[in-house]
Coordinates of all heavy atoms in Angstrom, one line a residue:
M1 N 0.9 -1.2 0.0 CA 0.0 0.0 0.0 C 0.9 1.3 0.0 O 1.8 1.4 0.8 CB -0.9 0.0 1.2 CG -2.0 1.0 1.1 SD -3.4 0.3 0.2 CE -4.2 -0.7 1.5
A2 N 0.6 2.1 -0.9 CA 1.4 3.4 -0.9 C 0.6 4.5 -0.3 O -0.6 4.4 -0.1 CB 1.6 3.7 -2.4
E3 N 1.3 5.5 0.1 CA 0.7 6.7 0.7 C 0.9 7.9 -0.2 O 2.0 8.1 -0.7 CB 1.2 6.9 2.1 CG 0.5 8.0 2.8 CD 1.0 8.2 4.2 OE1 2.2 8.1 4.4 OE2 0.2 8.5 5.1
F4 N -0.2 8.6 -0.4 CA -0.1 9.8 -1.2 C -0.5 11.0 -0.4 O -1.3 11.0 0.5 CB -1.1 9.7 -2.4 CG -0.8 8.5 -3.2 CD1 -1.4 7.3 -3.0 CD2 0.1 8.6 -4.3 CE1 -1.1 6.2 -3.8 CE2 0.3 7.5 -5.1 CZ -0.3 6.3 -4.8
K5 N 0.3 12.1 -0.7 CA 0.0 13.3 0.1 C -0.3 14.5 -0.8 O 0.4 14.7 -1.9 CB 1.3 13.6 0.9 CG 1.1 14.8 1.8 CD 2.4 15.1 2.7 CE 2.2 16.2 3.6 NZ 3.4 16.5 4.4
C6 N -1.2 15.3 -0.4 CA -1.6 16.5 -1.2 C -0.6 17.5 -1.0 O -0.2 17.9 0.1 CB -3.0 17.0 -0.8 SG -3.5 18.5 -1.6
E7 N 0.0 18.1 -2.1 CA 1.0 19.1 -2.0 C 0.4 20.5 -1.7 O 1.1 21.4 -1.4 CB 1.8 19.2 -3.3 CG 2.6 17.9 -3.6 CD 3.3 18.0 -4.9 OE1 2.8 18.6 -5.8 OE2 4.3 17.3 -5.0
K8 N -0.9 20.5 -1.8 CA -1.6 21.8 -1.5 C -2.0 22.0 -0.1 O -1.7 22.9 0.6 CB -2.8 21.9 -2.5 CG -3.4 23.3 -2.4 CD -4.6 23.4 -3.4 CE -5.2 24.8 -3.3 NZ -6.3 24.9 -4.3
C9 N -2.8 21.0 0.4 CA -3.3 21.1 1.8 C -2.7 20.1 2.8 O -2.8 20.3 4.0 CB -4.8 20.9 1.8 SG -5.3 19.2 1.5
G10 N -1.9 19.2 2.3 CA -1.2 18.3 3.2 C -2.0 17.0 3.6 O -1.6 16.2 4.4
E11 N -3.2 16.8 3.0 CA -4.0 15.7 3.3 C -3.3 14.4 2.8 O -2.7 14.4 1.7 CB -5.3 15.8 2.5 CG -6.2 14.6 2.7 CD -6.9 14.5 4.0 OE1 -6.8 15.4 4.9 OE2 -7.6 13.5 4.3
T12 N -3.3 13.3 3.6 CA -2.7 12.1 3.2 C -3.8 11.0 3.0 O -4.8 11.0 3.6 CB -1.7 11.6 4.2 OG1 -2.3 11.5 5.5 CG2 -0.5 12.5 4.3
K13 N -3.5 10.1 2.0 CA -4.4 9.1 1.7 C -3.7 7.8 1.3 O -2.8 7.9 0.5 CB -5.4 9.5 0.6 CG -6.5 8.5 0.3 CD -7.4 9.0 -0.9 CE -8.7 8.2 -1.0 NZ -8.5 6.8 -1.0
E14 N -4.1 6.7 1.8 CA -3.5 5.4 1.4 C -4.3 4.8 0.3 O -5.5 4.8 0.3 CB -3.4 4.5 2.6 CG -2.3 4.9 3.6 CD -2.1 3.9 4.7 OE1 -2.9 3.0 4.8 OE2 -1.0 4.0 5.4
G15 N -3.6 4.1 -0.6 CA -4.3 3.4 -1.7 C -3.3 2.8 -2.6 O -2.1 3.0 -2.6
R16 N -3.8 1.9 -3.5 CA -3.0 1.2 -4.4 C -2.7 2.2 -5.6 O -1.6 2.2 -6.1 CB -3.6 0.0 -5.0 CG -3.7 -1.1 -3.9 CD -4.4 -2.3 -4.5 NE -4.5 -3.4 -3.6 CZ -5.1 -4.6 -3.8 NH1 -5.6 -4.8 -5.0 NH2 -5.2 -5.5 -2.9
C17 N -3.7 2.9 -6.0 CA -3.5 3.8 -7.1 C -3.4 5.3 -6.7 O -3.9 5.6 -5.7 CB -4.7 3.6 -8.1 SG -4.9 2.0 -8.7
K18 N -2.8 6.0 -7.5 CA -2.6 7.5 -7.2 C -4.0 8.2 -7.4 O -4.6 8.1 -8.5 CB -1.6 8.1 -8.2 CG -1.3 9.5 -7.9 CD -0.3 10.0 -8.9 CE 0.0 11.5 -8.7 NZ 1.0 12.0 -9.7
P19 N -4.4 8.8 -6.4 CA -5.7 9.6 -6.5 C -5.6 10.7 -7.6 O -4.6 11.4 -7.7 CB -5.9 10.2 -5.1 CG -5.1 9.4 -4.2 CD -3.9 9.0 -5.1
K20 N -6.7 10.8 -8.4 CA -6.7 11.8 -9.4 C -6.8 13.2 -8.8 O -6.2 14.2 -9.3 CB -7.8 11.6 -10.4 CG -7.6 10.4 -11.3 CD -8.7 10.3 -12.3 CE -8.5 9.1 -13.2 NZ -9.6 8.9 -14.1
K21 N -7.5 13.3 -7.7 CA -7.6 14.6 -7.0 C -7.7 14.4 -5.5 O -8.0 13.3 -5.0 CB -8.8 15.3 -7.5 CG -10.1 14.7 -7.2 CD -11.3 15.5 -7.7 CE -12.6 14.9 -7.3 NZ -13.8 15.7 -7.8
C22 N -7.3 15.4 -4.8 CA -7.3 15.4 -3.3 C -8.7 15.2 -2.8 O -9.6 15.9 -3.2 CB -6.7 16.7 -2.8 SG -6.7 16.8 -1.0
P23 N -8.9 14.2 -1.8 CA -10.2 14.0 -1.2 C -10.6 15.1 -0.3 O -11.8 15.3 0.1 CB -10.0 12.7 -0.5 CG -8.6 12.6 -0.2 CD -7.9 13.3 -1.3
A24 N -9.7 15.9 0.1 CA -9.9 17.0 1.1 C -10.3 18.3 0.4 O -11.3 18.9 0.7 CB -8.8 17.1 2.1
C25 N -9.3 18.8 -0.4 CA -9.5 20.1 -1.0 C -10.0 20.0 -2.4 O -10.5 21.0 -3.0 CB -8.2 20.9 -0.9 SG -6.9 20.3 -2.0
G26 N -10.0 18.8 -3.0 CA -10.6 18.6 -4.4 C -9.7 19.1 -5.5 O -10.1 19.0 -6.7
E27 N -8.4 19.5 -5.2 CA -7.5 19.9 -6.2 C -7.0 18.7 -7.0 O -6.6 17.7 -6.4 CB -6.3 20.7 -5.6 CG -5.4 21.3 -6.5 CD -6.0 22.6 -7.1 OE1 -7.1 23.1 -6.6 OE2 -5.4 23.2 -8.0
A28 N -6.9 18.8 -8.3 CA -6.5 17.7 -9.1 C -5.0 17.8 -9.4 O -4.4 18.9 -9.5 CB -7.3 17.7 -10.4
G29 N -4.4 16.6 -9.5 CA -3.0 16.6 -9.9 C -2.0 17.0 -8.8 O -0.8 17.4 -9.1
V30 N -2.4 17.0 -7.5 CA -1.5 17.4 -6.5 C -1.1 16.3 -5.5 O -0.3 16.5 -4.6 CB -2.1 18.6 -5.6 CG1 -2.3 19.8 -6.5 CG2 -3.5 18.1 -5.1
M31 N -1.7 15.1 -5.8 CA -1.3 14.0 -4.9 C 0.0 13.4 -5.3 O 0.2 12.9 -6.4 CB -2.4 12.9 -5.0 CG -3.8 13.4 -4.6 SD -3.9 14.1 -3.0 CE -3.8 12.6 -2.0
A32 N 1.0 13.4 -4.4 CA 2.3 12.9 -4.6 C 2.6 11.7 -3.8 O 2.2 11.7 -2.6 CB 3.3 14.0 -4.4
K33 N 3.2 10.7 -4.3 CA 3.5 9.5 -3.6 C 4.6 9.7 -2.5 O 5.6 10.3 -2.8 CB 4.0 8.4 -4.6 CG 4.1 7.0 -3.9 CD 4.5 6.0 -4.9 CE 4.6 4.6 -4.2 NZ 5.1 3.6 -5.2
Q34 N 4.3 9.2 -1.4 CA 5.2 9.3 -0.3 C 6.1 8.1 -0.2 O 5.7 7.0 -0.6 CB 4.5 9.5 1.1 CG 3.6 10.7 1.1 CD 4.4 12.0 1.2 OE1 4.7 12.6 0.2 NE2 4.9 12.3 2.3
E35 N 7.3 8.2 0.4 CA 8.1 7.1 0.6 C 7.5 6.1 1.6 O 6.9 6.6 2.6 CB 9.5 7.6 1.2 CG 10.3 8.4 0.2 CD 10.8 7.5 -0.9 OE1 11.1 6.3 -0.7 OE2 11.0 8.1 -2.0
E36 N 7.6 4.8 1.3 CA 7.1 3.9 2.3 C 8.0 3.8 3.5 O 9.2 3.9 3.4 CB 7.0 2.5 1.6 CG 5.9 2.4 0.6 CD 5.7 1.0 0.1 OE1 5.7 0.1 0.9 OE2 5.5 0.8 -1.1
K37 N 7.3 3.7 4.6 CA 8.0 3.9 5.9 C 8.9 2.7 6.2 O 10.0 2.8 6.8 CB 7.0 4.0 7.0 CG 6.1 5.3 6.9 CD 4.8 5.1 7.6 CE 3.8 6.2 7.2 NZ 2.4 5.9 7.6
K38 N 8.4 1.5 5.8 CA 9.1 0.3 6.2 C 10.5 0.0 5.5 O 11.5 -0.2 6.1 CB 8.2 -0.9 6.0 CG 7.7 -1.1 4.6 CD 6.8 -2.3 4.5 CE 6.3 -2.4 3.1 NZ 5.4 -3.6 2.9
S39 N 10.5 0.2 4.2 CA 11.6 -0.2 3.5 C 12.6 1.0 3.2 O 12.3 1.8 2.4 CB 11.2 -0.8 2.1 OG 10.5 0.1 1.4
S40 N 13.6 1.1 4.0 CA 14.6 2.1 3.8 C 16.0 1.5 3.7 O 16.4 0.9 4.6 CB 14.5 3.2 4.9 OG 14.9 2.6 6.1
G41 N 16.6 1.7 2.6 CA 18.0 1.2 2.4 C 18.1 -0.3 2.4 O 17.4 -1.0 1.7
C42 N 18.8 -0.9 3.3 CA 19.1 -2.3 3.3 C 17.9 -3.1 3.9 O 17.9 -4.3 3.8 CB 20.4 -2.6 4.1 SG 20.4 -2.1 5.8
G43 N 17.0 -2.4 4.6 CA 15.8 -3.1 5.1 C 16.0 -3.6 6.5 O 15.0 -4.2 7.1
C44 N 17.1 -3.3 7.2 CA 17.2 -3.7 8.6 C 16.8 -2.6 9.5 O 16.8 -2.7 10.7 CB 18.7 -4.0 8.8 SG 19.8 -2.7 8.8
G45 N 16.3 -1.5 9.0 CA 15.9 -0.4 9.9 C 16.9 0.8 10.0 O 16.6 1.8 10.4
C46 N 18.1 0.5 9.5 CA 19.1 1.6 9.6 C 18.9 2.5 8.4 O 18.1 2.2 7.5 CB 20.5 1.0 9.6 SG 21.0 0.3 8.0
T47 N 19.7 3.5 8.3 CA 19.6 4.5 7.2 C 20.8 4.5 6.3 O 21.1 5.5 5.6 CB 19.3 5.9 7.8 OG1 20.4 6.3 8.6 CG2 18.0 6.0 8.5
C48 N 21.5 3.4 6.2 CA 22.7 3.4 5.5 C 22.5 3.5 4.0 O 23.4 3.9 3.2 CB 23.5 2.1 5.8 SG 22.6 0.6 5.3
G49 N 21.3 3.1 3.5 CA 21.1 3.1 2.1 C 20.2 4.2 1.6 O 20.0 4.4 0.4
S50 N 19.7 5.1 2.5 CA 18.9 6.2 2.1 C 19.5 7.5 2.3 O 20.0 7.8 3.4 CB 17.6 6.1 2.8 OG 17.8 6.3 4.2
K51 N 19.7 8.3 1.2 CA 20.2 9.6 1.3 C 19.4 10.6 0.6 O 18.8 10.3 -0.4 CB 21.6 9.6 0.7 CG 22.6 8.9 1.6 CD 24.0 9.0 1.0 CE 25.0 8.3 1.9 NZ 26.4 8.3 1.4
Ligands
ZN1 ZN1 -5.6 18.8 -0.8

């Protein structure tokens, strides 16, 4: 599951597909995919692979 965040109002929404428009403010084309929290770098929880 990916998370998408509105660049305009900051609303976040989880889903498989990128929302066409923000569910909160209704602006289209502002939903940007966020980094997934679990997988960073080597996958052990450290930050060695993410810069
Ligand atoms: Zn919004």
Side-chain angles (χ1 to χ4, degrees):
M1 196 83 82
E3 187 177 37
F4 300 90
K5 185 177 181 181
C6 176
E7 295 179 332
K8 187 176 181 181
C9 73
E11 176 76 7
T12 56
K13 186 180 192 308
E14 286 188 347
R16 290 182 181 178
C17 302
K18 182 180 179 179
K20 289 182 179 178
K21 64 180 183 179
C22 175
C25 67
E27 188 77 7
V30 293
M31 300 304 288
K33 186 178 182 181
Q34 297 292 99
E35 293 289 329
E36 290 190 42
K37 298 155 192 167
K38 55 180 180 180
S39 61
S40 63
C42 60
C44 69
C46 71
T47 57
C48 65
S50 63
K51 286 184 180 177

